[in-house]
Amino acid sequence: MLVRHQYRAHFIHEDEVERLLQRATGATPATMRKVIEKARLAQGLTIDEVALLLGTMDAATEQVLYSAAHEVKLEIYGRRVVLFAPLYVSNHCVNNCRYCGYRQDHHFPRRRLTMEELEEEVKALERMGHKRLALEAGEDPALCPVDFIVDCIRTIHAVKLDQGSIRRVNVNIAAATEDEYAQLKEAGIGTYILFQETYHRPSYRHWHPRGPKSDYDWHTTAHHRAMRTGLDDVGLGVLFGLYDWRFEVLALLQHARSLEEEFGVGPHTISVPRLRPAAGVDLSTFPHLVPDRDFRRLVAILRLAVPYTGMILSTRESPPMRDWLMDHGISQLSAGSCTGVGGYQREGSQDPGDAGQFEVEDRRSPDQMLIAICESGYLPSYCTACYRKGRTGDRFMSLAKTGAIQELCEPNALLTFKEYLLDYASPKLRRVGEKLIEERTRAIANPRLNQMLLEALRLVEAGKRDLYL
Ligand code: SF4
Ligand code: SF4
């Protein structure tokens, strides 16, 4: 029988965090710059070192921090960014998270997609060119059990529209049991993502007044259970704005450290959602909202702390903020997102049942976003190769840490972007994109790789799809 109380998030040491934050207040610009110089080696930072970057930082040191984050971002990820879309399959929820439009006390018509509706959603996403989804659902063991999520994953993989296909389904659902994680593994999920929201226990209690999610220890130990079951890739995240962001950054790194110590590999991704307006949520009741300047700083600091962990940003942020963050740490962006259930097919619907989980700030279509990405010198990527080649968990990390992954990311980005241009792009994007592909292909110095890529691009041009290294 499952005994929830046996789970204890012993790896979050609030006393250590508080002690480090105290110490951080005395960090001088010289100490901070020393830490930043070390971070430029792209080998990561210890939690103690990160803490030294959290004290008051003068404007000049802040610029040094940003230039280091930019450098590390380019060294590990190059000038490319991976795109994905969220897919909400159910907004039934038995929790009452005070910051969320789906909380139980917020009354609106709830819905869960039928498999037929899900197929239509997936077709709409495939028409937008998406290959990688993050499946999202509220927590409701009766109306949205893991069996339903498993059915969704299978259905999503089965939908093929013209040249479209979904090649990776990441799953963002509530903390589950080991048996349930085993079911998800069996169904072939990509990354299992679960946001902690806040690591600060008293704040966690306040924001999660009831429902299964109100159990801090059960929720916080979810990734450990998932990895123990054999899920290789897990994603962490904080909803910035629920408590002091400095505390959250250090506790998040304690969480990552614990996974690395126990399983030999840390989180595959870290998401950095920032609190946004949502239906029935009054932002003036949140005393820890994160201003833009601090938000930039925390993303840059995380980039330096865990250089090999992908960082994910949603459409909660405005286009200029997203562009800046992409340059200083973010490696995955959502595009053309809808945060309501069934929203892709019913774009513009006024049905209250389509209410989103939060308000979207970046409303650019994928086409508009891709043009902006290309114009800023970045290469959009729809690559899902690692997961499909079995490069997950420690196999992925060993490639990432030696830098060898770069050799694969760039050609895969070029191949998948080429597919996008041929199948979905507007004439303007095609013009901009083809030029970029040509330049970036020419820049691949390894002659063997260059030759292979040219041949693969020719095959894509001739109609072949889903080629990857
Ligand atoms: Fe439910 Fe998730 Fe919203 Fe909480 S954050 S109310 S668990 S959908
Ligand atoms: Fe991601 Fe692997 Fe593709 Fe690189 S090659 S973009 S790490 S899936």
Side-chain angles (χ1 to χ4, degrees):
M1 201 185 73
L2 174 70
V3 185
R4 276 184 173 226
H5 308 303
Q6 77 194 37
Y7 294 96
R8 177 97 192 139
H10 56 82
F11 43 85
I12 304 298
H13 305 285
E14 295 199 5
D15 48 345
E16 183 194 18
V17 173
E18 298 293 359
R19 182 177 52 75
L20 289 172
L21 287 177
Q22 274 294 323
R23 225 183 89 205
T25 55
T28 62
T31 314
M32 290 182 178
R33 284 174 190 233
K34 215 165 135 197
V35 173
I36 297 170
E37 285 321 304
K38 183 193 164 201
R40 281 188 206 274
L41 301 174
Q43 300 296 317
L45 293 173
T46 65
I47 296 178
D48 290 35
E49 289 165 338
V50 170
L52 294 170
L53 301 178
L54 298 176
T56 310
M57 191 178 265
D58 62 50
T61 309
E62 208 172 302
Q63 290 312 313
V64 178
L65 169 73
Y66 295 152
S67 81
H70 178 65
E71 253 177 62
V72 169
K73 161 83 207 286
L74 289 191
E75 183 171 338
I76 308 286
Y77 299 88
R79 279 193 175 274
R80 69 176 168 83
V81 63
V82 170
L83 295 154
F84 74 98
L87 169 57
Y88 285 76
V89 295
S90 168
N91 52 23
H92 291 282
C93 194
V94 295
N95 291 306
N96 215 31
C97 312
R98 293 180 199 253
Y99 47 81
C100 177
Y102 286 174
R103 70 188 183 285
Q104 199 179 38
D105 281 356
H106 181 224
H107 298 290
F108 66 97
R110 309 258 169 179
R111 57 194 302 240
R112 180 182 105 165
L113 295 179
T114 62
M115 286 304 136
E116 292 69 31
E117 288 169 332
L118 176 61
E119 277 180 31
E120 292 309 312
E121 282 290 275
V122 176
K123 283 180 192 164
L125 284 156
E126 289 182 357
R127 261 182 236 115
M128 292 161 80
H130 282 295
K131 305 284 184 247
R132 179 189 288 248
L133 300 183
L135 187 157
E136 318 258 353
E139 178 169 11
D140 190 321
L143 293 170
C144 184
V146 167
D147 288 347
F148 169 72
I149 301 295
V150 166
D151 288 347
C152 288
I153 296 168
R154 299 214 163 105
T155 300
I156 293 168
H157 281 304
V159 176
K160 312 273 180 230
L161 182 75
D162 303 324
Q163 300 281 28
S165 63
I166 300 301
R167 300 169 184 168
R168 181 174 174 116
V169 183
N170 298 331
V171 173
N172 183 351
I173 58 163
T177 64
E178 293 189 12
D179 286 349
E180 288 167 333
Y181 288 126
Q183 272 181 272
L184 292 174
K185 182 176 166 62
E186 176 71 25
I189 75 164
T191 306
Y192 170 66
I193 300 166
L194 179 66
F195 300 164
Q196 177 61 28
E197 321 296 10
T198 173
Y199 283 96
H200 184 247
R201 277 182 191 267
S203 301
Y204 191 93
R205 257 196 308 279
H206 172 73
W207 295 118
H208 306 99
R210 55 166 207 270
K213 188 168 169 181
S214 62
D215 183 340
Y216 179 97
D217 288 295
W218 174 252
H219 184 81
T220 313
T221 51
H223 304 83
H224 285 72
R225 283 194 298 285
M227 290 190 86
R228 224 167 273 139
T229 316
L231 286 179
D232 282 337
D233 293 342
V234 297
L236 305 182
V238 164
L239 178 54
F240 286 100
L242 297 182
Y243 187 59
D244 180 355
W245 65 269
R246 296 169 185 82
F247 182 100
E248 306 289 17
V249 165
L250 294 183
L252 172 74
L253 294 174
Q254 286 181 339
H255 196 170
R257 175 178 69 187
S258 168
L259 292 172
E260 180 133 21
E261 281 170 2
E262 189 166 338
F263 304 102
V265 53
H268 190 65
T269 55
I270 288 178
S271 299
V272 289
R274 184 164 56 147
L275 199 60
R276 296 289 308 147
V281 174
D282 176 6
L283 278 192
S284 68
T285 58
F286 292 80
H288 295 287
L289 294 179
V290 181
D292 284 356
R293 186 171 171 190
D294 289 346
F295 192 56
R296 287 197 178 97
R297 180 139 79 106
L298 79 86
V299 168
I301 289 172
L302 284 173
R303 181 69 297 144
L304 297 182
V306 283
Y308 305 104
T309 303
M311 279 175 70
I312 302 180
L313 191 71
S314 74
T315 44
R316 288 169 183 258
E317 300 298 333
S318 67
M321 180 57 98
R322 275 160 62 100
D323 292 348
W324 191 93
L325 295 172
M326 183 174 74
D327 237 4
H328 295 85
I330 296 300
S331 55
Q332 283 189 39
L333 287 176
S334 53
S337 301
C338 170
T339 64
V341 176
Y344 290 106
Q345 318 155 55
R346 292 153 39 113
E347 208 189 336
S349 161
Q350 297 302 309
D351 182 342
D354 292 347
Q357 192 189 25
F358 58 85
E359 283 178 23
V360 166
E361 186 77 17
D362 186 345
R363 297 181 179 278
R364 291 176 293 183
S365 67
D367 203 85
Q368 290 167 327
M369 215 172 118
L370 264 52
I371 291 173
I373 291 172
C374 293
E375 287 177 345
S376 62
Y378 274 81
L379 178 64
S381 174
Y382 285 90
C383 177
T384 55
C386 284
Y387 161 72
R388 303 169 77 226
K389 281 266 199 180
R391 288 191 299 256
T392 55
D394 52 354
R395 291 173 298 286
F396 169 79
M397 275 302 163
S398 62
L399 280 173
K401 288 186 176 174
T402 57
I405 195 75
Q406 277 289 0
E407 293 260 294
L408 306 171
C409 295
E410 180 83 2
N412 285 332
L414 289 162
L415 287 169
T416 52
F417 186 39
K418 177 82 178 176
E419 287 186 358
Y420 185 95
L421 292 183
L422 291 169
D423 297 338
Y424 308 103
S426 65
K428 178 172 180 193
L429 175 57
R430 201 166 292 172
R431 241 184 354 264
V432 177
E434 289 292 358
K435 187 162 168 276
L436 185 65
I437 290 181
E438 211 183 293
E439 289 165 7
R440 296 284 283 258
T441 304
R442 223 178 303 125
I444 292 184
N446 178 334
R448 205 181 121 259
L449 199 59
N450 189 281
Q451 217 30 57
M452 272 169 67
L453 176 61
L454 282 170
E455 178 53 24
L457 285 169
R458 264 193 294 276
L459 290 170
V460 174
E461 185 87 49
K464 190 117 179 89
R465 292 292 175 270
D466 206 8
L467 299 173
Y468 51 86
L469 304 176

